[in-house]
Amino acid sequence: HTILGILQAGHGLLWTVWISCFALFSGLAANNSNIYSALNSSYSLLGKRQSCLMRTVVIGGIGTLIACFNPLGHLESVLGLLGVAVGSMGAVILSGYILKKSTPLTSLVSWGVGIAVGLVASLFHCSLTGAAPLDAFLSATAAQSVLQMFTKRNPNEITHAS
């Protein structure tokens, strides 16, 4: 008799209980790590205005609410939208570095243009290149280049590409 044989005996009731406990505790451990990470990240966004307990409850509630909508069932869509946001931000950073002049306003507007074009390409299936993140990247690059031609930079302003 092995442990596996004992757990599977009796129509698998012990096996089912064992697997259920394993899934419950492993999910609990992963969720605690995610809430802890989100809690620490929230300090950079919100400062120290709320208590640790209140932040944990709010962030845990938001995470639970998101989980109710089955984000893994829509993982491809979520990753596509994430690719649009990250791709357009990468374009803004890259073009700001290459052009050696980038103001926060032109960067933000260019990122917004990239996201808007990427979302339209993704949601309405009217992509120029066949890939919404690539459309977002190219449109953010174009917007950054055009906006920088028409923007005079203040020499005292902090830039991203300095």
Side-chain angles (χ1 to χ4, degrees):
H1 295 272
T2 63
I3 294 175
L4 182 60
I6 293 170
L7 289 174
Q8 289 178 336
H11 302 294
L13 179 63
L14 286 175
W15 180 255
T16 303
V17 170
W18 172 255
I19 294 300
S20 297
C21 288
F22 179 77
L24 177 71
F25 291 129
S26 65
L28 183 64
N31 194 29
N32 285 345
S33 298
N34 291 336
I35 289 177
Y36 179 74
S37 175
L39 178 70
N40 283 335
S41 298
S42 72
Y43 284 106
S44 63
L45 296 173
L46 303 172
K48 293 186 177 184
R49 288 178 271 186
Q50 289 85 19
S51 70
C52 186
L53 177 64
M54 181 60 119
R55 284 176 190 264
T56 304
V57 168
V58 169
I59 290 171
I62 291 170
T64 302
L65 184 67
I66 290 171
C68 290
F69 293 106
N70 190 18
L72 289 179
H74 304 89
L75 187 61
E76 185 177 349
S77 301
V78 171
L79 290 177
L81 295 176
L82 188 62
V84 165
V86 172
S88 57
M89 177 51 74
V92 169
I93 292 170
L94 183 64
S95 61
Y97 178 77
I98 290 171
L99 297 173
K100 298 290 185 203
K101 56 181 181 177
S102 174
T103 65
L105 181 61
T106 59
S107 296
L108 191 61
V109 170
S110 300
W111 187 34
V113 167
I115 288 175
V117 169
L119 286 177
V120 167
S122 179
L123 297 176
F124 299 113
H125 306 290
C126 56
S127 177
L128 299 172
T129 62
L134 184 57
D135 288 345
F137 183 88
L138 294 176
S139 61
T141 302
Q144 181 83 342
S145 301
V146 169
L147 286 173
Q148 284 187 5
M149 285 191 293
F150 295 110
T151 304
K152 292 183 180 179
R153 195 179 86 193
N154 181 356
N156 297 328
E157 187 175 15
I158 298 173
T159 61
H160 298 293
S162 294

